[in-house]
């Protein structure tokens, strides 16, 4: 039996804008998705954290991979991914089945295996639960069938898998879950993926959960896309400018401006329609005590990332608001084989 794991992530800045070619700063977090694999008589999946299981034949998975690819192509042409999202939602273990079927097609795997998934990354909450799995699945199958994939190859398959789940993602989420640490990510041909060395800034950040989003990442990204282009693009450009400035501030350790930039980014994301009342409430409250707070990832709920030099004050204040400040390790190792 082989076990691999990949971390979750948080966006310090740049989410949504990164879909339009602006940069993002993304940091891995110390919550991981674990997948164990061994050879077996049929393809069996057991997702422990959601207590669901399924058994599939190789031919069924092959057909599913082809069907998904065709549907994705049609959706891309019509610029409407709703049919893809609803197929995955309605299919038993739809997302994970898509990940497995796609990886098998990419790696030309024709032998059965069983997979056990155990993730401590909360699902659909902006912490990269699906991106971590999209990286861990090709990694564990590469190990089991001795395909010797490089990190770059794993990341490419993960991007394909993420596209099936989210339509036209930036590729930032799967890249951080693959490489770990902290990344400067900019979509392009090729993508710019540069490690950032932020060890000194990793303290004094807390994550705060504001509730499960009603919409998926794909749906939230589509909502932003459907805004008036002039209104949207002004804000996307501004988010990009803040992200460049954030990189400089991190190097200079200019925390006053880091907090301001977090707050400014949050206000633009709210204008793009991806915030909710609870996020606005926490943002305004943390800002009022001199901190920085913003949503992290697609928004619509999920996790926020907050910063204050006085960590005890920040935690106490968030608790008084009725939320739980979570201090998780940041900048952790990317996808790996577990010993
Ligand atoms: C989601 O975690 C981040 C978004 O920017 C989407 C993406 O980058 O693909 C909202």
């Amino acid at each position: 039996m082989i076990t691999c794991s990949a971390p979750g992530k948080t966006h310090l800045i740049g989410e949504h804008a990164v879909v339009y070619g602006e940069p993002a700063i993304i940091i891995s977090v110390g919550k991981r998705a674990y997948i164990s694999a061994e050879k077996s008589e049929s393809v069996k999946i057991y997702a422990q954290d959601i207590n669901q299981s399924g058994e599939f034949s190789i031919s069924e998975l092959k057909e599913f991979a082809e069907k998904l690819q065709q549907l994705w192509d049609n959706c891309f042409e019509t610029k409407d991914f709703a049919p893809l999202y609803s197929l995955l939602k309605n299919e038993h273990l739809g997302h994970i089945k898509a990940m497995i079927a796609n990886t098998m097609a990419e790696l030309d795997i024709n032998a059965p295996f069983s997979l056990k998934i155990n993730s401590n990354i909360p699902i659909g909450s902006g912490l990269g639960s699906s991106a971590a799995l999209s990286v861990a699945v090709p990694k564990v199958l590469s190990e089991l069938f001795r395909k010797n994939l490089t990190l770059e190859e794993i990341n490419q398959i993960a991007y394909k898998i993420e596209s099936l789940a989210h339509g036209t993602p930036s590729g930032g989420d799967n890249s951080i879950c693959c490489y770990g640490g902290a990344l400067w990510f900019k979509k392009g041909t090729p993508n710019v993926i540069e490690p950032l060395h932020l060890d000194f800034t990793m303290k004094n950040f807390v994550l705060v959960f504001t509730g499960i989003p009603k919409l998926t990442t794909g749906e939230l990204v589509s909502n932003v896309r459907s805004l008036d282009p002039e209104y949207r693009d002004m804000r996307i450009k501004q988010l990009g400018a803040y992200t460049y400035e954030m990189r400089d501030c991190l190097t200079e350790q200019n925390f006053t401006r880091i907090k301001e930039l977090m707050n400014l980014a949050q206000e633009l994301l709210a204008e793009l329609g991806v915030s909710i009342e609870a996020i606005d409430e926490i943002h305004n409250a943390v800002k009022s005590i001199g901190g920085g707070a913003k949503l992290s990832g697609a928004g619509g709920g999920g996790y926020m990332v907050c910063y204050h030099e006085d960590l005890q004050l920040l935690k106490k204040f968030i608790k008084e608001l009725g939320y739980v400040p979570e201090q998780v390790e940041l900048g952790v190792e990317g996808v790996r084989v577990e010993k």
Side-chain angles (χ1 to χ4, degrees):
M1 160 128 28
I2 291 169
T3 301
C4 293
S5 76
K9 60 83 197 169
T10 184
H11 275 76
L12 181 58
I13 196 162
E15 56 273 83
H16 285 286
V18 69
V19 175
Y20 299 83
E22 298 295 339
I25 295 175
I26 324 174
I27 307 174
S28 57
V29 304
K31 290 180 190 267
R32 304 186 77 86
Y34 295 85
I35 307 193
S36 302
E38 62 187 344
K39 298 203 176 150
S40 151
E41 330 70 63
S42 60
V43 179
K44 291 183 196 148
I45 305 170
Y46 175 45
Q48 196 172 11
D49 42 326
I50 52 169
N51 196 22
Q52 283 189 22
S53 57
E55 191 166 347
F56 308 97
S57 68
I58 302 272
S59 58
E60 186 184 348
L61 289 165
K62 273 195 176 151
E63 276 165 32
F64 192 58
E66 281 162 19
K67 183 171 162 187
L68 283 175
Q69 187 59 54
Q70 268 170 18
L71 188 56
W72 190 93
D73 292 344
N74 291 345
C75 292
F76 186 73
E77 232 171 272
T78 56
K79 302 263 171 294
D80 176 13
F81 283 94
L84 180 70
Y85 303 150
S86 77
L87 174 77
L88 291 174
K89 258 187 196 167
N90 295 328
E91 183 88 17
H92 177 55
L93 287 171
H95 276 107
I96 185 71
K97 193 174 158 190
M99 291 180 187
I100 292 167
N102 211 272
T103 305
M104 288 172 73
E106 289 288 325
L107 298 185
D108 198 21
I109 293 173
N110 293 299
F113 52 86
S114 71
L115 282 188
K116 186 171 147 203
I117 302 165
N118 186 6
S119 175
N120 47 44
I121 308 169
I123 296 174
S125 300
L127 285 194
S129 57
S130 100
L133 285 179
S134 77
V135 166
V137 168
K139 175 68 178 170
V140 82
L141 292 182
S142 163
E143 293 295 320
L144 187 67
F145 292 99
R146 300 186 194 285
K147 299 284 180 182
N148 291 325
L149 292 191
T150 62
L151 281 180
E152 286 66 32
E153 288 165 333
I154 287 169
N155 201 29
Q156 268 168 24
I157 298 175
Y159 178 66
K160 258 204 97 186
I161 292 174
E162 279 283 273
S163 303
L164 291 176
H166 306 305
T168 53
S170 64
D173 289 15
N174 49 277
S175 298
I176 188 67
C177 297
C178 185
Y179 299 110
L183 288 182
W184 173 263
F185 179 88
K186 195 168 184 295
K187 183 181 167 182
T189 7
N191 292 332
V192 177
I193 306 176
E194 288 169 7
L196 295 173
H197 303 287
L198 305 180
D199 310 356
F200 54 86
T201 57
M202 293 305 177
K203 301 180 269 98
N204 294 25
F205 280 101
V206 296
L207 300 178
V208 181
F209 184 56
T210 65
I212 303 257
K214 290 201 179 71
L215 299 177
T216 63
T217 297
E219 288 164 339
L220 288 153
V221 169
S222 295
N223 286 356
V224 173
R225 199 172 286 289
S226 61
L227 294 171
D228 169 42
E230 205 182 317
Y231 174 92
R232 180 195 63 214
D233 292 347
M234 265 171 58
R235 285 158 182 84
I236 295 291
K237 275 254 141 331
Q238 191 57 56
L239 277 166
Y242 289 152
T243 305
Y244 282 100
E245 200 188 337
M246 180 68 96
R247 183 170 59 172
D248 295 340
C249 290
L250 287 166
T251 311
E252 293 155 9
Q253 303 189 35
N254 180 351
F255 290 102
T256 307
R257 188 64 182 155
I258 287 171
K259 290 183 294 181
E260 275 169 13
L261 290 171
M262 289 173 75
N263 290 330
L264 289 165
Q266 166 58 32
E267 283 149 27
L268 286 174
L269 288 164
E271 287 174 18
L272 290 173
V274 294
S275 191
I276 57 166
E277 228 173 89
I279 293 177
D280 294 340
E281 183 200 0
I282 297 171
H283 160 69
N284 287 324
V286 171
K287 192 175 159 184
S288 78
I289 56 159
K294 62 177 280 295
L295 64 82
S296 169
Y303 273 88
M304 293 182 75
V305 56
C306 306
Y307 179 89
H308 199 293
E309 284 86 346
D310 188 340
L311 189 59
Q312 294 320 318
L313 172 73
L314 178 65
K315 284 171 141 180
K316 185 168 160 279
F317 201 70
I318 289 170
K319 277 187 202 152
E320 277 166 16
L321 290 172
Y323 296 91
V324 182
E326 291 181 43
Q327 226 187 331
V328 296
E329 204 185 335
L330 295 175
V332 300
E333 196 184 346
V335 68
R336 68 180 181 213
V337 177
E338 293 293 324
K339 296 280 174 289

